[in-house]
Amino acid sequence: MKQLNEDIKSGTMKQVYLLWGEEAYLRRQYRDRLRDALAGGDTMNCHYFEGKGIVPGEIIDLAETLPFLAERRVIVLENSGLLKKGGETLAEYIKDMAETAYLVFVETEIDKRSRLYKEIKAAGRIAEFAVQDMGTLRRWIAGLAAKEKKGITDEDIRYFLEKTGTDMENIRAELEKLFCYTMGRARITAADMDAVCVRRVTNQIFDMIHAIADRKQKRALELYYDLLALKEPPMRILFLIARQFNLLLQVKECRKKGCDNHTTAVRTGLRDFLIGKYAAQAARFETEDLRKALRDCVEAEERVKTGKMNDVLAVELLIVAYSTAGT
């Protein structure tokens, strides 16, 4: 990203760029900045294509067409899939492209072995936008709050991220709600977050499993019915319950082996700051109970798929079975 920023700032542009990675918010931000830097507000000679139906030959014909009263013809290709398959024609073109043509590829996933990737790397600039680490997200949130003249503690930022997850677009949207809600006040608190921020479904599932562990059947079922009211499909809820039990089992096994939080995070795919929370919940279950819960989730899915039981009832009975006192 540093080199990309330098290109935009200096105005010394490459003819071909690739912006890729899981972080959609940053991808779109830099796509727009790069497009503006290249086209300078010229909409007549700036073209946007999206999806896997893009025909490379048509893109080349357009690139070979001289721009109208301008120095550049800018072509943005987003989610084309050409960096995984079918990009050979454009790869060959990049070797000797028109001096006035500028190509910007924007992709979530790529294959670094593809010929197109290799040609872009040789001729242009590649920037990867991975999911940001917690330190970066904390600084970003604190910076956005400071611009709004709002104070927020590190502890409350951590709580906020537990609610929103690490998707920057979702974070930005939830922050905007908080800024409006706290208008006239200088500090954002956890109570404000509880009042206006939308909890992720995975958080609801975490709370449901917690209620099950505490044998609070009424609370566990309330959370389940809330998810159904939000139009969450029962089979997706079942999948998330199984996923949660599986994560708890993995965390428990890592703890038995003496793994620290970072190692456990790497092995489970969880964020470092969540490990303590998951370890505490895992400690409420025996290892064999977690294994049995996973088997029961599989059996519940099978009963639904074979038509032996209604999906809503299958998940409800699973929750009741594991939240009944004495089980």
Side-chain angles (χ1 to χ4, degrees):
M1 280 191 285
K2 183 179 179 181
Q3 290 179 318
L4 187 57
N5 281 321
E6 288 175 357
D7 288 356
I8 293 171
K9 186 176 180 180
S10 67
T12 306
M13 312 302 292
K14 300 288 186 181
Q15 275 192 271
V16 58
Y17 287 88
L18 168 60
L19 315 179
W20 77 280
E22 294 181 54
E23 182 44 69
Y25 178 83
L26 287 179
R27 275 203 329 269
R28 283 192 284 270
Q29 290 285 313
Y30 276 89
R31 175 200 65 191
D32 294 346
R33 288 185 61 197
L34 187 57
R35 178 201 61 207
D36 293 344
L38 287 167
D42 177 9
T43 57
M44 183 174 293
N45 297 293
C46 187
H47 313 273
Y48 177 78
F49 297 86
E50 183 178 13
K52 296 184 178 180
I54 295 171
V55 180
E58 294 178 2
I59 300 302
I60 292 171
D61 288 344
L62 183 60
E64 286 292 299
T65 304
L66 287 173
F68 181 72
L69 299 177
E71 295 181 2
R72 298 168 179 161
R73 184 171 296 282
V74 181
I75 303 172
V76 180
L77 309 173
E78 187 158 10
N79 298 322
S80 68
L82 294 171
L83 270 294
K84 296 182 78 174
K85 184 180 179 181
E88 293 78 11
T89 303
L90 279 173
E92 186 64 29
Y93 176 67
I94 287 172
K95 288 182 178 181
D96 188 29
M97 60 193 294
E99 292 182 358
T100 55
Y102 288 77
L103 299 176
V104 180
F105 294 88
V106 185
E107 303 286 339
T108 304
E109 297 179 348
I110 63 169
D111 184 351
K112 292 184 179 181
R113 299 167 299 177
S114 69
R115 187 178 171 194
L116 182 55
Y117 177 87
K118 292 174 182 177
E119 291 299 336
I120 294 173
K121 186 176 181 180
R125 184 87 71 208
I126 296 174
E128 180 182 359
F129 300 97
V131 174
Q132 300 298 288
D133 61 54
M134 301 313 298
T136 300
L137 290 175
R138 287 194 192 101
R139 289 190 295 273
W140 182 58
I141 292 168
L144 291 174
K147 286 182 181 178
E148 298 291 328
K149 295 182 171 52
K150 302 284 186 184
I152 182 170
T153 66
D154 285 342
E155 184 178 349
D156 285 341
I157 289 177
R158 177 186 290 267
Y159 181 69
F160 176 69
L161 287 171
E162 287 182 4
K163 292 180 77 73
T164 63
T166 56
D167 180 86
M168 294 180 74
E169 191 163 26
N170 186 51
I171 289 171
R172 184 66 196 241
E174 294 301 312
L175 278 175
E176 289 297 333
K177 287 158 62 175
L178 281 171
F179 294 154
C180 293
Y181 184 73
T182 59
M183 191 174 294
R185 287 196 279 124
R187 183 165 296 280
I188 297 172
T189 67
D192 298 323
M193 297 167 196
D194 288 337
V196 300
C197 291
V198 176
R199 287 180 63 81
R200 293 179 301 162
V201 172
T202 49
N203 283 339
Q204 292 274 81
I205 299 296
F206 187 95
D207 291 345
M208 185 191 299
I209 301 298
H210 206 78
I212 289 171
D214 286 341
R215 303 296 187 262
K216 294 180 179 177
Q217 190 174 97
K218 182 180 178 182
R219 176 58 179 159
L221 289 171
E222 283 175 352
L223 288 165
Y224 176 52
Y225 299 145
D226 284 347
L227 289 170
L228 292 177
L230 292 170
K231 306 299 183 184
E232 281 294 328
M235 294 308 287
R236 172 169 161 74
I237 296 171
L238 178 60
F239 165 77
L240 291 172
I241 290 173
R243 177 180 178 274
Q244 182 69 13
F245 279 132
N246 187 41
L247 284 170
L248 293 178
L249 180 59
Q250 290 182 56
V251 170
K252 197 172 187 70
E253 294 291 348
C254 285
R255 278 291 192 257
K256 283 183 180 179
K257 294 175 183 177
C259 299
D260 59 18
N261 283 1
H262 179 69
T263 303
T264 303
V266 170
R267 292 185 178 182
T268 61
L270 290 166
R271 292 288 176 178
D272 288 28
F273 77 101
L274 289 174
I275 298 301
K277 184 178 178 181
Y278 272 73
Q281 189 171 94
R284 308 169 84 88
F285 292 91
E286 296 296 330
T287 300
E288 187 50 43
D289 290 339
L290 291 171
R291 290 200 177 102
K292 184 176 184 302
L294 286 171
R295 291 195 296 270
D296 287 347
C297 286
V298 172
E299 289 177 7
E301 181 182 15
E302 186 178 352
R303 284 195 295 272
V304 173
K305 288 183 175 180
T306 55
K308 294 178 180 178
M309 189 174 291
N310 170 275
D311 54 359
V312 174
L313 181 59
V315 179
E316 183 173 318
L317 289 178
L318 182 72
I319 293 170
V320 168
Y322 278 88
S323 60
T324 300
T327 57

